[in-house]
Amino acid sequence: MAGVFEELKNMNKNQNQNEQHHQYGPSSLKRRELCPGSAREERLLPDIPNDYAALGTKLHAAIACKLDGVEMPALKPEESETVENMACFFEERKAGAIGKVHTEVGLAYSYYGETLYTGTADVLIERPDDSATLIDWKTGRRAVEEASDNLQGAAYALAAMQQHGYKAVEVIFYNPVIHQVTSHTYTVEGGVEVARQIVAIIEACKDPNAPCRPGEEQCRYCKAREHGTCQA
């Protein structure tokens, strides 16, 4: 595995480990790509609680408890139905697995000896052929980008392959609310291009003069927009 990523070593030797998770987590990479200045504008800003985020957190916790066989938090009927749909989907995708099933998996991708980013995968199913299936639950009303062109999924797959030695990782986004399913399998060889793309995104963001480029997609979850502090 290490040899596959060897050619990337000279692209950047000075990653700042302290800011990697909050500024360059997998879920923020698309925003960073579209608006490099967003990393600077969002830095150190607190999250603003909202009902949609709270519900998503609740549903994620509930399905993790259910899959782990522990007591779930109290749920409303419609929330219970959503969690049951997620559990049924998991059982379908679990077929053929003989390895371990992990929930709330911490993943980290190391680049040139330092952690480039960290994140948490909702479900990781190990396969008998040294591959894995990674499920990311989505519970909003918006469709996510197709898994084949989804930076969050690609970043998760890259970290899982490096961290656990998988030859390939199938990334699945499942939303039981709008009934969206999209999947794509990432390989070690393809991971080289993913790594290049992520490194380039982070380098662009670290430019002190990185521009802010407002747009519907990149501004949607930006904390600087929510706080009203973005210069753009």
Side-chain angles (χ1 to χ4, degrees):
M1 176 79 61
V4 176
F5 298 104
E6 189 71 23
E7 62 180 290
L8 296 171
K9 282 187 176 180
N10 293 323
M11 292 177 64
N12 181 357
K13 298 182 180 180
N14 298 301
Q15 298 300 337
N16 186 332
Q17 212 167 355
N18 294 327
E19 64 184 20
Q20 300 310 312
H21 176 67
H22 295 292
Q23 290 190 299
Y24 307 114
S27 63
S28 71
L29 287 174
K30 187 64 177 181
R31 182 161 71 256
R32 304 292 181 242
E33 182 177 48
L34 294 172
C35 179
S38 66
R40 178 188 63 248
E41 298 297 315
E42 286 191 287
R43 189 179 184 187
L44 303 181
L45 289 177
D47 292 330
I48 297 180
N50 64 75
D51 292 341
Y52 295 108
L55 176 59
T57 298
K58 183 180 182 181
L59 293 173
H60 276 70
I63 185 61
C65 289
K66 186 174 183 64
L67 298 186
D68 288 338
V70 300
E71 185 177 357
M72 291 193 299
L75 300 173
K76 297 176 181 179
E78 62 271 21
E79 295 169 350
S80 294
E81 182 179 356
T82 298
V83 172
E84 284 301 319
N85 288 338
M86 296 159 84
C88 290
F89 182 84
F90 163 78
E91 290 297 334
E92 293 173 0
R93 295 296 172 152
K94 180 185 173 184
I98 62 170
K100 294 181 179 179
V101 174
H102 309 273
T103 62
E104 300 296 312
V105 185
L107 295 174
Y109 179 70
S110 295
Y111 173 76
Y112 208 72
E114 296 188 50
T115 301
L116 192 62
Y117 60 83
T118 63
T120 303
D122 294 329
V123 181
L124 194 64
I125 305 170
E126 296 183 346
R127 299 292 180 185
D129 58 353
D130 294 326
S131 68
T133 295
L134 190 154
I135 301 175
D136 191 84
W137 309 117
K138 297 297 182 185
T139 57
R141 294 285 177 178
R142 294 178 181 271
V144 300
E145 196 169 22
E146 291 297 310
S148 59
D149 193 33
N150 191 300
L151 267 174
Q152 181 183 14
Y156 281 145
L158 187 67
M161 287 187 289
Q162 184 187 74
Q163 193 167 317
H164 297 286
Y166 302 129
K167 296 178 181 177
V169 174
E170 178 192 24
V171 175
I172 305 172
F173 292 96
Y174 175 59
N175 186 326
V177 178
I178 60 173
H179 308 291
Q180 182 192 16
V181 180
T182 177
S183 65
H184 181 73
T185 298
Y186 291 89
T187 64
V188 172
E189 291 75 19
V192 172
E193 290 304 319
V194 173
R196 282 200 184 99
Q197 183 179 7
I198 293 174
V199 168
I201 290 169
I202 293 175
E203 283 303 293
C205 290
K206 287 183 175 181
D207 182 343
N209 299 312
C212 290
R213 299 189 181 111
E216 196 277 333
E217 184 175 358
Q218 56 268 42
C219 291
R220 186 182 304 145
Y221 300 116
C222 180
K223 289 188 289 185
R225 178 194 62 79
E226 294 174 342
H227 283 272
T229 59
C230 179
Q231 62 177 273

